[in-house]
PDB file of all heavy atoms in Angstrom:
ATOM      1  N   GLU A 657     -75.645  97.032  42.021  1.00  0.00           N
ATOM      2  CA  GLU A 657     -76.114  96.165  43.107  1.00  0.00           C
ATOM      3  C   GLU A 657     -76.459  96.989  44.346  1.00  0.00           C
ATOM      4  O   GLU A 657     -76.239  96.556  45.474  1.00  0.00           O
ATOM      5  CB  GLU A 657     -75.035  95.115  43.438  1.00  0.00           C
ATOM      6  CG  GLU A 657     -75.618  93.749  43.797  1.00  0.00           C
ATOM      7  CD  GLU A 657     -74.551  92.791  44.327  1.00  0.00           C
ATOM      8  OE1 GLU A 657     -73.363  93.015  44.049  1.00  0.00           O
ATOM      9  OE2 GLU A 657     -74.925  91.828  45.016  1.00  0.00           O
ATOM     10  N   LEU A 664     -88.419  95.684  55.076  1.00  0.00           N
ATOM     11  CA  LEU A 664     -87.979  96.261  56.347  1.00  0.00           C
ATOM     12  C   LEU A 664     -88.531  97.670  56.573  1.00  0.00           C
ATOM     13  O   LEU A 664     -88.295  98.279  57.605  1.00  0.00           O
ATOM     14  CB  LEU A 664     -86.444  96.281  56.410  1.00  0.00           C
ATOM     15  CG  LEU A 664     -85.770  94.911  56.366  1.00  0.00           C
ATOM     16  CD1 LEU A 664     -84.260  95.067  56.464  1.00  0.00           C
ATOM     17  CD2 LEU A 664     -86.299  94.026  57.500  1.00  0.00           C
ATOM     18  N   ARG A 691     -73.134  95.399  27.311  1.00  0.00           N
ATOM     19  CA  ARG A 691     -72.478  94.756  28.449  1.00  0.00           C
ATOM     20  C   ARG A 691     -73.309  94.941  29.728  1.00  0.00           C
ATOM     21  O   ARG A 691     -73.413  94.032  30.550  1.00  0.00           O
ATOM     22  CB  ARG A 691     -71.084  95.386  28.602  1.00  0.00           C
ATOM     23  CG  ARG A 691     -70.277  94.816  29.740  1.00  0.00           C
ATOM     24  CD  ARG A 691     -68.854  95.371  29.723  1.00  0.00           C
ATOM     25  NE  ARG A 691     -68.246  95.204  31.022  1.00  0.00           N
ATOM     26  CZ  ARG A 691     -68.134  96.167  31.937  1.00  0.00           C
ATOM     27  NH1 ARG A 691     -68.554  97.391  31.674  1.00  0.00           N
ATOM     28  NH2 ARG A 691     -67.570  95.921  33.106  1.00  0.00           N
ATOM     29  N   ASP A 692     -73.903  96.142  29.854  1.00  0.00           N
ATOM     30  CA  ASP A 692     -74.716  96.434  31.040  1.00  0.00           C
ATOM     31  C   ASP A 692     -75.851  95.416  31.201  1.00  0.00           C
ATOM     32  O   ASP A 692     -76.162  94.995  32.314  1.00  0.00           O
ATOM     33  CB  ASP A 692     -75.319  97.839  30.945  1.00  0.00           C
ATOM     34  CG  ASP A 692     -74.277  98.942  31.138  1.00  0.00           C
ATOM     35  OD1 ASP A 692     -73.195  98.650  31.677  1.00  0.00           O
ATOM     36  OD2 ASP A 692     -74.561 100.093  30.737  1.00  0.00           O
ATOM     37  N   ASP A 895     -94.295 133.358  34.008  1.00  0.00           N
ATOM     38  CA  ASP A 895     -94.299 132.395  35.101  1.00  0.00           C
ATOM     39  C   ASP A 895     -93.784 131.071  34.537  1.00  0.00           C
ATOM     40  O   ASP A 895     -94.274 130.621  33.495  1.00  0.00           O
ATOM     41  CB  ASP A 895     -95.714 132.153  35.646  1.00  0.00           C
ATOM     42  CG  ASP A 895     -96.295 133.372  36.367  1.00  0.00           C
ATOM     43  OD1 ASP A 895     -95.538 134.310  36.670  1.00  0.00           O
ATOM     44  OD2 ASP A 895     -97.509 133.372  36.625  1.00  0.00           O
ATOM     45  N   THR A 899     -89.966 122.397  37.421  1.00  0.00           N
ATOM     46  CA  THR A 899     -90.184 121.044  37.959  1.00  0.00           C
ATOM     47  C   THR A 899     -91.259 121.005  39.036  1.00  0.00           C
ATOM     48  O   THR A 899     -91.765 119.929  39.357  1.00  0.00           O
ATOM     49  CB  THR A 899     -88.879 120.463  38.547  1.00  0.00           C
ATOM     50  OG1 THR A 899     -88.410 121.326  39.583  1.00  0.00           O
ATOM     51  CG2 THR A 899     -87.801 120.338  37.480  1.00  0.00           C
ATOM     52  N   ARG A 902     -94.459 119.072  38.067  1.00  0.00           N
ATOM     53  CA  ARG A 902     -94.586 117.616  37.933  1.00  0.00           C
ATOM     54  C   ARG A 902     -94.578 116.879  39.261  1.00  0.00           C
ATOM     55  O   ARG A 902     -94.852 115.691  39.304  1.00  0.00           O
ATOM     56  CB  ARG A 902     -93.499 117.061  37.003  1.00  0.00           C
ATOM     57  CG  ARG A 902     -92.089 117.092  37.552  1.00  0.00           C
ATOM     58  CD  ARG A 902     -91.097 116.496  36.549  1.00  0.00           C
ATOM     59  NE  ARG A 902     -89.735 116.606  37.024  1.00  0.00           N
ATOM     60  CZ  ARG A 902     -88.655 116.429  36.286  1.00  0.00           C
ATOM     61  NH1 ARG A 902     -88.782 116.138  35.010  1.00  0.00           N
ATOM     62  NH2 ARG A 902     -87.448 116.546  36.790  1.00  0.00           N
ATOM     63  N   ARG A1000    -121.070 139.761  40.436  1.00  0.00           N
ATOM     64  CA  ARG A1000    -121.908 140.286  39.337  1.00  0.00           C
ATOM     65  C   ARG A1000    -121.480 141.707  38.979  1.00  0.00           C
ATOM     66  O   ARG A1000    -121.656 142.157  37.866  1.00  0.00           O
ATOM     67  CB  ARG A1000    -123.372 140.286  39.771  1.00  0.00           C
ATOM     68  CG  ARG A1000    -123.918 138.883  40.014  1.00  0.00           C
ATOM     69  CD  ARG A1000    -125.202 138.937  40.819  1.00  0.00           C
ATOM     70  NE  ARG A1000    -126.218 139.750  40.130  1.00  0.00           N
ATOM     71  CZ  ARG A1000    -127.334 140.177  40.702  1.00  0.00           C
ATOM     72  NH1 ARG A1000    -127.588 139.897  41.968  1.00  0.00           N
ATOM     73  NH2 ARG A1000    -128.201 140.888  40.024  1.00  0.00           N
ATOM     74  N   GLN A1007    -122.991 159.913  39.343  1.00  0.00           N
ATOM     75  CA  GLN A1007    -123.593 161.166  39.803  1.00  0.00           C
ATOM     76  C   GLN A1007    -122.804 162.379  39.320  1.00  0.00           C
ATOM     77  O   GLN A1007    -123.286 163.499  39.394  1.00  0.00           O
ATOM     78  CB  GLN A1007    -123.625 161.196  41.332  1.00  0.00           C
ATOM     79  CG  GLN A1007    -124.280 159.982  41.975  1.00  0.00           C
ATOM     80  CD  GLN A1007    -125.753 159.878  41.627  1.00  0.00           C
ATOM     81  OE1 GLN A1007    -126.470 160.872  41.606  1.00  0.00           O
ATOM     82  NE2 GLN A1007    -126.208 158.668  41.298  1.00  0.00           N
ATOM     83  N   TYR A1011    -114.426 162.173  34.765  1.00  0.00           N
ATOM     84  CA  TYR A1011    -113.176 162.767  35.245  1.00  0.00           C
ATOM     85  C   TYR A1011    -112.129 162.638  34.163  1.00  0.00           C
ATOM     86  O   TYR A1011    -111.847 161.540  33.687  1.00  0.00           O
ATOM     87  CB  TYR A1011    -112.725 162.023  36.497  1.00  0.00           C
ATOM     88  CG  TYR A1011    -111.525 162.631  37.189  1.00  0.00           C
ATOM     89  CD1 TYR A1011    -111.579 163.924  37.717  1.00  0.00           C
ATOM     90  CD2 TYR A1011    -110.350 161.897  37.334  1.00  0.00           C
ATOM     91  CE1 TYR A1011    -110.486 164.461  38.376  1.00  0.00           C
ATOM     92  CE2 TYR A1011    -109.255 162.436  37.989  1.00  0.00           C
ATOM     93  CZ  TYR A1011    -109.325 163.716  38.507  1.00  0.00           C
ATOM     94  OH  TYR A1011    -108.251 164.254  39.168  1.00  0.00           O
ATOM     95  N   VAL A1012    -111.605 163.765  33.758  1.00  0.00           N
ATOM     96  CA  VAL A1012    -110.572 163.701  32.704  1.00  0.00           C
ATOM     97  C   VAL A1012    -109.297 164.392  33.172  1.00  0.00           C
ATOM     98  O   VAL A1012    -109.314 165.229  34.062  1.00  0.00           O
ATOM     99  CB  VAL A1012    -111.051 164.356  31.386  1.00  0.00           C
ATOM    100  CG1 VAL A1012    -111.985 163.394  30.657  1.00  0.00           C
ATOM    101  CG2 VAL A1012    -111.705 165.678  31.646  1.00  0.00           C
TER     102      VAL A1012
ATOM    103  N   GLU B 328    -115.493 156.959  39.242  1.00  0.00           N
ATOM    104  CA  GLU B 328    -116.846 156.679  39.741  1.00  0.00           C
ATOM    105  C   GLU B 328    -117.335 155.327  39.235  1.00  0.00           C
ATOM    106  O   GLU B 328    -118.529 155.172  38.947  1.00  0.00           O
ATOM    107  CB  GLU B 328    -117.799 157.817  39.300  1.00  0.00           C
ATOM    108  CG  GLU B 328    -118.850 158.149  40.343  1.00  0.00           C
ATOM    109  CD  GLU B 328    -119.911 159.119  39.817  1.00  0.00           C
ATOM    110  OE1 GLU B 328    -119.631 159.831  38.841  1.00  0.00           O
ATOM    111  OE2 GLU B 328    -121.013 159.143  40.378  1.00  0.00           O
ATOM    112  N   LEU B 335    -126.022 143.700  46.281  1.00  0.00           N
ATOM    113  CA  LEU B 335    -126.740 142.953  45.244  1.00  0.00           C
ATOM    114  C   LEU B 335    -126.059 141.628  44.898  1.00  0.00           C
ATOM    115  O   LEU B 335    -126.553 140.855  44.090  1.00  0.00           O
ATOM    116  CB  LEU B 335    -126.871 143.807  43.970  1.00  0.00           C
ATOM    117  CG  LEU B 335    -127.676 145.093  44.128  1.00  0.00           C
ATOM    118  CD1 LEU B 335    -127.770 145.829  42.800  1.00  0.00           C
ATOM    119  CD2 LEU B 335    -129.081 144.800  44.667  1.00  0.00           C
ATOM    120  N   ARG B 362    -104.720 166.878  42.533  1.00  0.00           N
ATOM    121  CA  ARG B 362    -106.055 167.096  41.990  1.00  0.00           C
ATOM    122  C   ARG B 362    -106.927 165.849  42.168  1.00  0.00           C
ATOM    123  O   ARG B 362    -108.131 165.949  42.462  1.00  0.00           O
ATOM    124  CB  ARG B 362    -105.911 167.445  40.501  1.00  0.00           C
ATOM    125  CG  ARG B 362    -107.208 167.674  39.783  1.00  0.00           C
ATOM    126  CD  ARG B 362    -106.954 168.208  38.375  1.00  0.00           C
ATOM    127  NE  ARG B 362    -108.129 167.993  37.539  1.00  0.00           N
ATOM    128  CZ  ARG B 362    -108.301 166.987  36.700  1.00  0.00           C
ATOM    129  NH1 ARG B 362    -107.335 166.102  36.525  1.00  0.00           N
ATOM    130  NH2 ARG B 362    -109.415 166.888  35.998  1.00  0.00           N
ATOM    131  N   ASP B 363    -106.293 164.688  41.991  1.00  0.00           N
ATOM    132  CA  ASP B 363    -107.033 163.425  42.142  1.00  0.00           C
ATOM    133  C   ASP B 363    -107.679 163.324  43.530  1.00  0.00           C
ATOM    134  O   ASP B 363    -108.796 162.840  43.664  1.00  0.00           O
ATOM    135  CB  ASP B 363    -106.093 162.228  41.945  1.00  0.00           C
ATOM    136  CG  ASP B 363    -105.668 162.054  40.488  1.00  0.00           C
ATOM    137  OD1 ASP B 363    -106.339 162.600  39.593  1.00  0.00           O
ATOM    138  OD2 ASP B 363    -104.642 161.363  40.259  1.00  0.00           O
ATOM    139  N   ASP B 444     -87.655 116.401  43.850  1.00  0.00           N
ATOM    140  CA  ASP B 444     -87.434 116.158  42.421  1.00  0.00           C
ATOM    141  C   ASP B 444     -85.931 116.123  42.110  1.00  0.00           C
ATOM    142  O   ASP B 444     -85.441 115.218  41.451  1.00  0.00           O
ATOM    143  CB  ASP B 444     -88.133 117.278  41.634  1.00  0.00           C
ATOM    144  CG  ASP B 444     -88.036 117.100  40.130  1.00  0.00           C
ATOM    145  OD1 ASP B 444     -86.993 117.458  39.552  1.00  0.00           O
ATOM    146  OD2 ASP B 444     -89.006 116.608  39.533  1.00  0.00           O
ATOM    147  N   ASP B 566     -86.549 127.048  38.424  1.00  0.00           N
ATOM    148  CA  ASP B 566     -88.002 127.112  38.577  1.00  0.00           C
ATOM    149  C   ASP B 566     -88.345 128.535  39.009  1.00  0.00           C
ATOM    150  O   ASP B 566     -87.744 129.061  39.944  1.00  0.00           O
ATOM    151  CB  ASP B 566     -88.488 126.151  39.675  1.00  0.00           C
ATOM    152  CG  ASP B 566     -88.326 124.678  39.307  1.00  0.00           C
ATOM    153  OD1 ASP B 566     -88.082 124.372  38.122  1.00  0.00           O
ATOM    154  OD2 ASP B 566     -88.455 123.846  40.224  1.00  0.00           O
ATOM    155  N   THR B 570     -96.021 134.801  39.429  1.00  0.00           N
ATOM    156  CA  THR B 570     -97.234 135.264  40.117  1.00  0.00           C
ATOM    157  C   THR B 570     -98.052 134.109  40.683  1.00  0.00           C
ATOM    158  O   THR B 570     -98.909 134.323  41.538  1.00  0.00           O
ATOM    159  CB  THR B 570     -98.124 136.097  39.179  1.00  0.00           C
ATOM    160  OG1 THR B 570     -98.497 135.300  38.043  1.00  0.00           O
ATOM    161  CG2 THR B 570     -97.390 137.328  38.690  1.00  0.00           C
ATOM    162  N   ARG B 671     -86.333 104.031  54.850  1.00  0.00           N
ATOM    163  CA  ARG B 671     -85.095 103.772  55.591  1.00  0.00           C
ATOM    164  C   ARG B 671     -83.993 103.292  54.645  1.00  0.00           C
ATOM    165  O   ARG B 671     -82.818 103.466  54.906  1.00  0.00           O
ATOM    166  CB  ARG B 671     -85.341 102.709  56.662  1.00  0.00           C
ATOM    167  CG  ARG B 671     -86.315 103.157  57.744  1.00  0.00           C
ATOM    168  CD  ARG B 671     -86.854 101.935  58.497  1.00  0.00           C
ATOM    169  NE  ARG B 671     -85.773 101.197  59.128  1.00  0.00           N
ATOM    170  CZ  ARG B 671     -85.905  99.974  59.651  1.00  0.00           C
ATOM    171  NH1 ARG B 671     -87.070  99.363  59.589  1.00  0.00           N
ATOM    172  NH2 ARG B 671     -84.887  99.367  60.209  1.00  0.00           N
ATOM    173  N   GLN B 678     -73.511  90.690  46.588  1.00  0.00           N
ATOM    174  CA  GLN B 678     -73.111  89.313  46.301  1.00  0.00           C
ATOM    175  C   GLN B 678     -72.058  89.259  45.192  1.00  0.00           C
ATOM    176  O   GLN B 678     -71.414  88.229  45.013  1.00  0.00           O
ATOM    177  CB  GLN B 678     -74.326  88.497  45.838  1.00  0.00           C
ATOM    178  CG  GLN B 678     -75.518  88.565  46.766  1.00  0.00           C
ATOM    179  CD  GLN B 678     -75.213  87.951  48.122  1.00  0.00           C
ATOM    180  OE1 GLN B 678     -74.563  86.901  48.194  1.00  0.00           O
ATOM    181  NE2 GLN B 678     -75.618  88.608  49.202  1.00  0.00           N
ATOM    182  N   TYR B 682     -69.023  96.618  39.918  1.00  0.00           N
ATOM    183  CA  TYR B 682     -69.150  96.732  38.460  1.00  0.00           C
ATOM    184  C   TYR B 682     -68.406  97.973  37.991  1.00  0.00           C
ATOM    185  O   TYR B 682     -68.681  99.066  38.457  1.00  0.00           O
ATOM    186  CB  TYR B 682     -70.620  96.830  38.082  1.00  0.00           C
ATOM    187  CG  TYR B 682     -70.894  96.800  36.594  1.00  0.00           C
ATOM    188  CD1 TYR B 682     -70.563  95.687  35.815  1.00  0.00           C
ATOM    189  CD2 TYR B 682     -71.510  97.874  35.965  1.00  0.00           C
ATOM    190  CE1 TYR B 682     -70.833  95.648  34.471  1.00  0.00           C
ATOM    191  CE2 TYR B 682     -71.787  97.844  34.614  1.00  0.00           C
ATOM    192  CZ  TYR B 682     -71.445  96.723  33.867  1.00  0.00           C
ATOM    193  OH  TYR B 682     -71.714  96.678  32.526  1.00  0.00           O
ATOM    194  N   VAL B 683     -67.445  97.761  37.122  1.00  0.00           N
ATOM    195  CA  VAL B 683     -66.700  98.944  36.643  1.00  0.00           C
ATOM    196  C   VAL B 683     -66.755  99.023  35.127  1.00  0.00           C
ATOM    197  O   VAL B 683     -66.933  98.035  34.440  1.00  0.00           O
ATOM    198  CB  VAL B 683     -65.237  98.923  37.101  1.00  0.00           C
ATOM    199  CG1 VAL B 683     -65.154  99.375  38.557  1.00  0.00           C
ATOM    200  CG2 VAL B 683     -64.603  97.554  36.913  1.00  0.00           C
TER     201      VAL B 683
END
Side-chain angles (χ1 to χ4, degrees):
Chain A
E657 217 189 339
L664 298 181
R691 180 173 160 260
D692 288 342
D895 292 347
T899 59
R902 70 179 176 194
R1000 295 163 58 193
Q1007 307 296 319
Y1011 187 62
V1012 282
Chain B
E328 216 189 338
L335 297 182
R362 179 172 160 263
D363 288 341
D444 183 279
D566 292 346
T570 59
R671 295 162 60 192
Q678 308 296 319
Y682 186 62
V683 281

